[in-house]
Short mmCIF file of all heavy atoms in Angstrom, two decimals:
data_model
loop_
_atom_site.label_atom_id
_atom_site.label_comp_id
_atom_site.label_asym_id
_atom_site.label_seq_id
_atom_site.Cartn_x
_atom_site.Cartn_y
_atom_site.Cartn_z
N ILE A 15 7.59 6.01 8.26
CA ILE A 15 8.41 6.53 7.15
C ILE A 15 8.16 8.02 7.05
O ILE A 15 7.12 8.51 6.59
CB ILE A 15 8.02 5.83 5.80
CG1 ILE A 15 8.25 4.32 5.96
CG2 ILE A 15 8.80 6.40 4.65
CD1 ILE A 15 7.64 3.47 4.84
N THR A 16 9.17 8.76 7.46
CA THR A 16 9.00 10.21 7.60
C THR A 16 8.83 10.94 6.24
O THR A 16 8.34 12.04 6.22
CB THR A 16 10.21 10.85 8.38
OG1 THR A 16 11.40 10.47 7.71
CG2 THR A 16 10.24 10.30 9.80
N GLU A 17 9.33 10.36 5.18
CA GLU A 17 9.23 11.00 3.90
C GLU A 17 7.79 11.10 3.38
O GLU A 17 7.45 11.94 2.57
CB GLU A 17 10.05 10.24 2.83
CG GLU A 17 11.53 10.38 3.04
CD GLU A 17 12.12 9.40 4.03
OE1 GLU A 17 11.35 8.63 4.64
OE2 GLU A 17 13.32 9.37 4.17
N LEU A 18 6.95 10.22 3.87
CA LEU A 18 5.52 10.21 3.45
C LEU A 18 4.79 11.37 4.10
O LEU A 18 4.83 11.54 5.31
CB LEU A 18 4.87 8.87 3.79
CG LEU A 18 5.33 7.70 2.92
CD1 LEU A 18 4.76 6.39 3.49
CD2 LEU A 18 4.82 7.92 1.50
N LYS A 19 4.05 12.12 3.28
CA LYS A 19 3.32 13.32 3.78
C LYS A 19 1.83 12.94 3.99
O LYS A 19 1.11 13.67 4.67
CB LYS A 19 3.39 14.45 2.78
CG LYS A 19 4.80 14.87 2.46
CD LYS A 19 5.38 15.70 3.61
CE LYS A 19 6.69 16.33 3.22
NZ LYS A 19 7.84 15.61 3.76
N TYR A 20 1.37 11.82 3.39
CA TYR A 20 -0.05 11.50 3.53
C TYR A 20 -0.18 9.97 3.47
O TYR A 20 0.38 9.32 2.54
CB TYR A 20 -0.84 12.11 2.33
CG TYR A 20 -2.32 11.89 2.39
CD1 TYR A 20 -3.17 12.77 3.04
CD2 TYR A 20 -2.86 10.79 1.69
CE1 TYR A 20 -4.51 12.59 3.02
CE2 TYR A 20 -4.26 10.61 1.68
CZ TYR A 20 -5.02 11.50 2.37
OH TYR A 20 -6.42 11.27 2.35
N ILE A 21 -0.85 9.37 4.48
CA ILE A 21 -1.09 7.94 4.53
C ILE A 21 -2.52 7.73 4.91
O ILE A 21 -3.04 8.30 5.88
CB ILE A 21 -0.18 7.27 5.58
CG1 ILE A 21 1.30 7.54 5.31
CG2 ILE A 21 -0.47 5.78 5.67
CD1 ILE A 21 2.22 7.28 6.50
N ASP A 22 -3.27 6.99 4.09
CA ASP A 22 -4.68 6.79 4.34
C ASP A 22 -5.17 5.55 3.62
O ASP A 22 -4.45 4.92 2.82
CB ASP A 22 -5.46 8.02 3.84
CG ASP A 22 -6.89 8.10 4.37
OD1 ASP A 22 -7.30 7.25 5.27
OD2 ASP A 22 -7.61 9.01 3.99
N GLU A 23 -6.38 5.16 3.94
CA GLU A 23 -7.06 4.10 3.19
C GLU A 23 -7.34 4.67 1.77
O GLU A 23 -7.68 5.86 1.64
CB GLU A 23 -8.36 3.70 3.84
CG GLU A 23 -9.03 2.56 3.16
CD GLU A 23 -10.28 2.09 3.91
OE1 GLU A 23 -10.70 2.76 4.86
OE2 GLU A 23 -10.89 1.08 3.47
N ASN A 24 -7.24 3.85 0.79
CA ASN A 24 -7.50 4.30 -0.61
C ASN A 24 -8.97 4.34 -0.89
O ASN A 24 -9.60 3.30 -0.99
CB ASN A 24 -6.79 3.35 -1.61
CG ASN A 24 -6.76 3.94 -3.03
OD1 ASN A 24 -7.52 4.80 -3.30
ND2 ASN A 24 -5.89 3.40 -3.81
N TRP A 25 -9.51 5.52 -1.06
CA TRP A 25 -10.90 5.69 -1.38
C TRP A 25 -11.03 6.40 -2.73
O TRP A 25 -12.09 6.95 -3.05
CB TRP A 25 -11.73 6.39 -0.31
CG TRP A 25 -11.12 7.63 0.26
CD1 TRP A 25 -10.30 7.75 1.34
CD2 TRP A 25 -11.20 8.98 -0.28
NE1 TRP A 25 -9.92 9.04 1.55
CE2 TRP A 25 -10.48 9.80 0.56
CE3 TRP A 25 -11.87 9.51 -1.35
CZ2 TRP A 25 -10.37 11.18 0.35
CZ3 TRP A 25 -11.79 10.87 -1.59
CH2 TRP A 25 -11.05 11.65 -0.74
N GLY A 26 -9.93 6.37 -3.51
CA GLY A 26 -10.02 7.00 -4.84
C GLY A 26 -9.38 8.40 -4.92
O GLY A 26 -9.66 9.14 -5.85
N GLN A 27 -8.55 8.77 -3.93
CA GLN A 27 -8.03 10.09 -3.92
C GLN A 27 -7.27 10.49 -5.14
O GLN A 27 -7.32 11.65 -5.61
CB GLN A 27 -7.06 10.28 -2.67
CG GLN A 27 -7.72 10.12 -1.34
CD GLN A 27 -7.58 8.72 -0.80
OE1 GLN A 27 -7.80 7.75 -1.54
NE2 GLN A 27 -7.26 8.62 0.50
N LEU A 28 -6.56 9.52 -5.80
CA LEU A 28 -5.75 9.83 -6.98
C LEU A 28 -6.56 9.84 -8.22
O LEU A 28 -6.07 10.13 -9.31
CB LEU A 28 -4.58 8.84 -7.10
CG LEU A 28 -3.57 8.88 -5.94
CD1 LEU A 28 -2.48 7.87 -6.17
CD2 LEU A 28 -2.93 10.28 -5.81
N ASP A 29 -7.86 9.54 -8.14
CA ASP A 29 -8.73 9.54 -9.34
C ASP A 29 -9.29 10.92 -9.58
O ASP A 29 -9.99 11.11 -10.58
CB ASP A 29 -9.85 8.53 -9.15
CG ASP A 29 -9.36 7.11 -9.07
OD1 ASP A 29 -8.29 6.83 -9.62
OD2 ASP A 29 -10.04 6.29 -8.49
N TYR A 30 -9.04 11.89 -8.67
CA TYR A 30 -9.51 13.24 -8.92
C TYR A 30 -8.43 13.95 -9.80
O TYR A 30 -7.46 14.53 -9.30
CB TYR A 30 -9.64 14.02 -7.58
CG TYR A 30 -10.78 13.55 -6.76
CD1 TYR A 30 -10.62 12.56 -5.77
CD2 TYR A 30 -12.03 14.08 -6.99
CE1 TYR A 30 -11.71 12.13 -5.04
CE2 TYR A 30 -13.14 13.66 -6.25
CZ TYR A 30 -12.93 12.71 -5.27
OH TYR A 30 -14.02 12.26 -4.54
N TYR A 31 -8.63 13.90 -11.11
CA TYR A 31 -7.71 14.48 -12.01
C TYR A 31 -7.87 15.97 -12.04
O TYR A 31 -8.52 16.58 -12.88
CB TYR A 31 -7.86 13.93 -13.44
CG TYR A 31 -7.29 12.50 -13.58
CD1 TYR A 31 -7.99 11.38 -13.21
CD2 TYR A 31 -6.01 12.34 -14.04
CE1 TYR A 31 -7.44 10.14 -13.34
CE2 TYR A 31 -5.44 11.08 -14.18
CZ TYR A 31 -6.14 9.99 -13.82
OH TYR A 31 -5.60 8.77 -13.92
N SER A 32 -7.30 16.65 -11.03
CA SER A 32 -7.37 18.08 -10.91
C SER A 32 -6.16 18.52 -10.22
O SER A 32 -5.38 17.74 -9.63
CB SER A 32 -8.60 18.50 -10.13
OG SER A 32 -8.43 18.31 -8.75
N PRO A 33 -5.86 19.82 -10.23
CA PRO A 33 -4.67 20.31 -9.58
C PRO A 33 -4.80 20.25 -8.03
O PRO A 33 -3.83 20.45 -7.30
CB PRO A 33 -4.59 21.79 -10.02
CG PRO A 33 -5.70 22.09 -10.89
CD PRO A 33 -6.53 20.87 -11.03
N ASN A 34 -5.99 19.92 -7.54
CA ASN A 34 -6.23 19.90 -6.10
C ASN A 34 -6.62 18.51 -5.60
O ASN A 34 -7.67 18.36 -4.97
CB ASN A 34 -7.32 20.90 -5.70
CG ASN A 34 -6.92 22.32 -6.10
OD1 ASN A 34 -5.81 22.73 -5.92
ND2 ASN A 34 -7.85 23.05 -6.69
N MET A 35 -5.78 17.49 -5.85
CA MET A 35 -6.07 16.15 -5.34
C MET A 35 -6.08 16.17 -3.83
O MET A 35 -5.31 16.92 -3.23
CB MET A 35 -5.02 15.17 -5.85
CG MET A 35 -5.16 14.73 -7.25
SD MET A 35 -4.01 13.46 -7.65
CE MET A 35 -3.63 13.93 -9.31
N PRO A 36 -6.95 15.40 -3.19
CA PRO A 36 -7.04 15.45 -1.74
C PRO A 36 -5.94 14.61 -1.04
O PRO A 36 -6.20 13.82 -0.16
CB PRO A 36 -8.42 14.86 -1.48
CG PRO A 36 -8.71 13.94 -2.62
CD PRO A 36 -7.98 14.58 -3.78
#
Side-chain angles (χ1 to χ4, degrees):
I15 301 168
T16 57
E17 290 85 354
L18 288 170
K19 303 283 189 258
Y20 183 89
I21 303 164
D22 196 4
E23 184 177 7
N24 190 342
W25 48 266
Q27 297 95 316
L28 296 178
D29 295 334
Y30 288 95
Y31 283 85
S32 77
N34 300 317
M35 282 186 216

